[in-house]
Amino acid sequence: MLFFAGPASAQSLIRTAAQEASAPKFISLVQDGKPAVGGICIDIMRAIEAVEPGIKFVGDQNWLPLVRITSGPMDAICGLLHTKERALLFDYVDTPIFSVNYLLAVRADDDVQVASWDDIRKLGKDGIILSMHNYAINDRLRDLGGLHVDSSAVSSKSNLNKLLARRGRFYCHRSPGIVADIRQAGLEGQIKLLPKVMLKDEFHMLLSKTLAPEDARKLKAAIALLERQGTLAKLFEKYQE
């Protein structure tokens, strides 16, 4: 009787997707004349594969909205803030993959001065904060209390246009990301960023609770190794604004 052994180290396929409207986590590119997806998360996935050959991400070149990603059959989701609701559905890798600052964008002719959230609370309904639909920053803003938040828009471009139309006083979004969004919308000179960093937070890799324990262990170990090596910081530095 003959026995055929498989590869010494079988490669596990980790299902994921590229999140729409999330630059620079995921960025639309053209490579060799064909559309492709790049960005921080793609760089991190390739780095994980380099230090852990037993892992291969699949689906990272396919765009999906956040709601489809978090409700679909994904093994891993790259770059999300921690929320209680998500923690019920996914396991968070303890090691953050990068950190961000949240800034406020306003119209260029707005002379508003903001040193704290209290300054915005005092504005009442004249201090409406625009944010992205289904993003975890909405939870952060709600938890602060006393703020008027409009999170109906699904893209930065929509929120920037609402800002110009005076349908909000502020647009709260993360950096890196917000500077490029203003530039790509062609609104430089019409919209400015206030200098105060309003919030700081960490983004993590999320893993499905049904992911094989050994694959989860490999992913967590690879991310921890990349952090110790300084690789995560170097990758993130490429995208600073």
Side-chain angles (χ1 to χ4, degrees):
M1 184 178 294
L2 298 177
F3 295 92
F4 295 92
S9 179
Q11 195 173 56
S12 296
L13 301 181
I14 306 299
R15 297 169 298 175
T16 189
Q19 181 188 338
E20 294 178 352
S22 67
K25 290 195 308 181
F26 295 97
I27 300 173
S28 181
L29 304 173
V30 176
Q31 292 180 345
D32 300 324
K34 298 179 180 179
V37 182
I40 300 171
C41 281
I42 297 298
D43 290 353
I44 291 174
M45 290 179 197
R46 299 293 87 84
I48 290 173
E49 293 169 346
V51 298
E52 178 45 78
I55 290 294
K56 173 66 177 177
F57 290 94
V58 294
D60 56 70
Q61 296 299 299
N62 299 324
W63 293 100
L64 285 176
L66 179 58
V67 66
R68 288 278 304 281
I69 293 174
T70 55
S71 62
M74 301 297 165
D75 297 315
I77 303 175
C78 179
L80 293 183
L81 298 179
H82 185 279
T83 69
K84 294 178 181 178
E85 292 78 9
R86 288 174 182 168
L88 296 175
L89 301 173
F90 301 94
D91 290 328
Y92 277 76
V93 176
D94 289 338
T95 305
I97 52 178
F98 57 88
S99 300
V100 299
N101 295 328
Y102 281 88
L103 303 174
L104 296 175
V106 298
R107 292 180 295 277
D109 60 358
D110 192 339
D111 60 1
V112 65
Q113 301 291 317
V114 175
S116 69
W117 293 109
D118 279 338
D119 291 335
I120 298 179
R121 291 187 184 96
K122 292 174 184 176
L123 295 172
K125 292 188 177 180
D126 288 331
I128 292 175
I129 302 172
L130 304 173
S131 64
M132 295 272 276
H133 181 66
N134 206 37
Y135 274 42
I137 183 60
N138 299 318
D139 294 340
R140 304 292 193 270
L141 295 173
R142 183 188 62 240
D143 291 344
L144 289 169
L147 301 172
H148 296 274
V149 180
D150 175 355
S151 59
S152 58
V154 296
S155 70
S156 266
K157 185 175 182 179
S158 294
N159 270 329
L160 293 170
N161 286 330
K162 287 172 70 172
L163 195 61
L164 287 180
R166 299 180 181 273
R167 295 170 59 191
R169 186 76 178 271
F170 308 94
Y171 172 36
C172 184
H173 196 49
R174 56 176 163 70
S175 178
I178 183 60
V179 173
D181 288 346
I182 294 171
R183 182 173 62 250
Q184 290 171 7
L187 296 177
E188 293 170 296
Q190 298 182 65
I191 290 178
K192 65 183 179 182
L193 291 173
L194 299 182
K196 174 71 174 180
V197 174
M198 302 303 292
L199 288 172
K200 295 185 178 184
D201 218 326
E202 297 174 336
F203 278 53
H204 294 258
M205 184 78 76
L206 278 63
L207 305 179
S208 169
K209 290 184 179 291
T210 62
L211 184 64
E214 180 61 13
D215 291 337
R217 184 196 66 77
K218 289 179 179 178
L219 282 165
K220 292 175 182 178
I223 292 171
L225 175 60
L226 293 173
E227 194 279 330
R228 292 196 302 272
Q229 291 177 335
T231 302
L232 292 179
K234 290 178 181 177
L235 292 176
F236 185 62
E237 185 63 28
K238 293 167 48 180
Y239 297 91
Q240 289 298 301
E241 297 178 324

